[in-house]
């Protein structure tokens, strides 16, 4: 029943900003944790950020200080605000439902727990 839909990707120049959204629907259970991942062209998918129950967040070193993850709309939508974008931020961005243990995010790998992605392209 769980569905995740990402939106907000696009083309932006280096130094610019974008806001990505993840809409979660179809579940009657509370969300323990939500994460964002990205996959640059030709590279492996990597973890970007996570938000946990209670609103605590964690970020990869590569985006710390530039990206901010928050909950909106009665906690059924998560927003990833990206600032000071760099060309190396270019990737398909995915949101995911997962779990939290000792401040670390662990994704659920079933297809139902991932969105289809939204593409971010940062030009030089």
């Amino acid at each position: 029943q769980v569905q995740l839909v990402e939106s907000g990707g696009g083309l932006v120049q280096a130094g610019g900003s974008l806001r990505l959204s993840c809409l979660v629907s179809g579940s009657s259970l509370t969300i323990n944790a939500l994460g964002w991942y990205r996959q640059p062209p030709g590279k492996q998918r990597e973890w970007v950020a996570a938000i946990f129950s209670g609103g605590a967040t964690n970020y990869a070193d590569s985006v710390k200080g530039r990206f901010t993850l928050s909950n909106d709309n009665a906690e059924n939508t998560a927003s990833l605000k990206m600032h000071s974008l760099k060309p190396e931020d270019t990737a398909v961005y995915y949101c995911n439902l997962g779990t939290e243990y000792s401040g670390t995010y662990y994704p659920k790998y079933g297809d139902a727990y991932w969105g289809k992605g939204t593409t971010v392209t940062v030009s030089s």
Side-chain angles (χ1 to χ4, degrees), residues 7-26:
S7 62
L11 175 64
V12 64
Q13 291 185 319
S17 301
L18 282 175
R19 183 177 70 89
L20 306 183
S21 295
C22 176
L23 175 63
V24 182
S25 62

Side-chain angles (χ1 to χ4, degrees), residues 6 15-17 38-39 45 51-53 64 70 80 85-86 97 101 103 105-107 109 115-116 119 122:
E6 304 96 337
S17 301
R38 67 186 183 186
Q39 187 166 16
R45 191 174 299 184
I51 187 165
F52 312 126
S53 61
K64 193 173 298 181
S70 62
L80 183 67
L85 285 164
K86 305 175 181 179
L97 296 182
Y101 178 74
Y105 181 79
Y106 297 90
Y109 290 100
K116 297 186 182 299
T119 301
V122 183

